[in-house]
Amino acid sequence: MRIRVKSPDEGRDGATGMRRAAARLRGWGGVTAMAAACAVTAAAVLLPLAQAAPEAGSHPAVVREPASMAAAPAPWTLTDTCQDPEASLSPSAGDGPTIERIRKAGKLVAGVDQNSFKWGYRNPVDGRLDGFDIALVKAIAKDILGDENAVIYRAIPTSQRVPALQDGRVDVVVRTMTINCKRLEDVAFSTAYFEAGQQVLAPKGSPITGYDASLKGRRICTAAGSTAEAALKAQPYGSVPVSVPNQLDCLVRLQLGEVDGIITDNALAAGQAAQDPSVRLVGSPFTKEFYGVAMKKDASDLVRRVNKVLENYRAGGDNSPWMQAYVTHLKPVLPGVAGPPAPKYRDG
């Protein structure tokens, strides 16, 4: 079930609204995306998913220093209050209480997305979970349990990523989750495994030009609990914010004409633009963010173990597992990425 946000002209010209919706529902993912988003929005609890996903592919990397991102013309920045939030505990292959508990259970419970194209999504060919994040979950399970399929996947909304860890419903969250100081108060993170930035997604031909004054009076959608939502609260540019449980709900609303634009990570938006050729990224990324694997705050043994997995995942240049996953899942929609961000570590 989908919660509708009424457009300003709804009720005055229903036929116009329907024509606009039909025009937006073009492209590969229109109907499929809407069905998937409606199903996820209706779920108020975590949903156990299938335990296997297709293989990550084989091919091409170098670990790179974070690239600089062009900043949008904005008078503010999302500043962190701690130094180097993406710095994590040093890697270790040792065991500990969290890892022992996972081994005893025989399964790694992973919080993931099932609607982010190329990251964590239902492959339309076989219905199994697929994507860049899913490939990383499998690598973690293989290291700890010796079986990449020894995973219970749980689909979680963006807003439930932290609560799911705190409540013990999942062991890890691998769901395009940005590392920042605020979240570090509640959960622990691995080192960064991908670099992204916030950007605006809008229909082709839209007067919206980016994260700027062109948003004034426009309905702009973000996922609840996301860094995009925080950015829009800090500087709305006169827009009308619309918050939804999951990022794909924003794409559905854009297709239906219920919102005028979306703010999200450009890495996610690239996949959405690939699903629906009637939308495009506009302007420049206005933040620099790093995705990390999130874990319970006191699970230091698991954090160190995941960091060890990531060390191996990045190793091997063009033949590294990281680059193989990138080529298989992301390169078609997000070309030009040279490799993973270089890890940062801290004492303790």
Side-chain angles (χ1 to χ4, degrees):
M1 181 175 294
R2 197 164 40 77
I3 302 172
R4 282 183 56 80
V5 176
K6 291 187 178 180
S7 61
D9 59 357
E10 188 175 40
R12 297 198 302 265
D13 190 352
T16 299
M18 289 301 293
R19 285 196 296 271
R20 182 171 58 186
R24 292 270 175 85
L25 286 174
R26 294 194 297 265
W28 182 92
V31 177
T32 302
M34 182 161 64
C38 290
V40 174
T41 304
V45 296
L46 300 180
L47 302 176
L49 305 179
Q51 295 182 7
E55 294 287 339
S58 58
H59 271 348
V62 298
V63 175
R64 61 183 173 82
E65 292 296 334
S68 60
M69 285 194 171
W76 68 280
T77 55
L78 281 177
T79 55
D80 270 319
T81 56
C82 60
Q83 186 175 5
D84 291 331
E86 67 272 19
S88 184
L89 297 175
S90 58
S92 172
D95 293 338
T98 308
I99 293 173
E100 289 175 1
R101 179 183 54 75
I102 293 170
R103 283 210 179 111
K104 185 176 180 180
K107 299 285 185 180
L108 175 72
V109 184
V112 298
D113 200 349
Q114 65 171 353
N115 294 304
S116 290
F117 188 50
K118 297 299 184 179
W119 288 93
Y121 71 109
R122 289 289 185 178
N123 191 312
V125 175
D126 56 19
R128 294 185 177 184
L129 279 175
D130 203 355
F132 190 84
D133 279 347
I134 304 304
L136 179 53
V137 171
K138 294 175 73 173
I140 296 169
K142 179 69 179 293
D143 183 85
I144 295 175
L145 297 166
D147 180 1
E148 65 179 19
N149 294 318
V151 182
I152 295 174
Y153 293 102
R154 295 193 184 277
I156 52 176
T158 304
S159 60
Q160 287 297 303
R161 292 178 296 189
V162 170
L165 286 166
Q166 292 177 323
D167 298 345
R169 289 176 278 169
V170 297
D171 300 315
V172 296
V173 169
V174 188
R175 196 188 182 285
T176 57
M177 188 169 178
T178 299
I179 305 167
N180 60 38
C181 296
K182 177 63 177 174
R183 289 174 178 163
L184 283 169
E185 295 175 4
D186 301 314
V187 299
F189 279 100
S190 69
T191 54
Y193 68 85
F194 202 88
E195 180 184 334
Q198 295 295 316
Q199 199 166 349
V200 178
L201 188 72
K204 291 179 179 177
S206 167
I208 295 175
T209 57
Y211 187 66
D212 53 35
S214 67
L215 299 182
K216 185 175 181 179
R218 310 289 176 184
R219 297 157 299 177
I220 303 301
C221 189
T222 61
S226 67
T227 50
E229 183 185 47
L232 198 61
K233 285 181 179 178
Q235 175 54 281
Y237 281 111
S239 64
V240 180
V242 177
S243 180
V244 297
N246 283 291
Q247 178 53 45
L248 192 63
D249 294 338
C250 282
L251 180 60
V252 173
R253 292 188 181 214
L254 188 65
Q255 290 170 327
L256 292 173
E258 295 177 347
V259 298
D260 302 300
I262 301 169
I263 297 177
T264 187
D265 300 354
N266 59 353
L268 286 173
Q272 293 181 352
Q275 286 178 288
D276 187 346
S278 70
V279 301
R280 65 188 179 97
L281 285 164
V282 295
S284 302
F286 58 91
T287 65
K288 184 165 64 176
E289 303 179 13
F290 298 95
Y291 297 159
V293 178
M295 290 153 278
K296 208 165 185 178
K297 195 168 178 66
D298 61 357
S300 58
D301 59 322
L302 183 58
V303 174
R304 293 182 187 275
R305 187 61 171 266
V306 170
N307 284 340
K308 183 64 177 177
V309 172
L310 285 171
E311 274 204 337
N312 297 331
Y313 205 63
R314 299 182 191 101
D318 286 350
N319 295 317
S320 69
W322 190 98
M323 187 56 80
Q324 290 176 11
Y326 165 72
V327 168
T328 299
H329 301 293
L330 299 179
K331 188 174 182 180
V333 299
L334 195 67
V337 177
K344 292 183 178 181
Y345 299 111
R346 59 180 171 82
D347 295 334

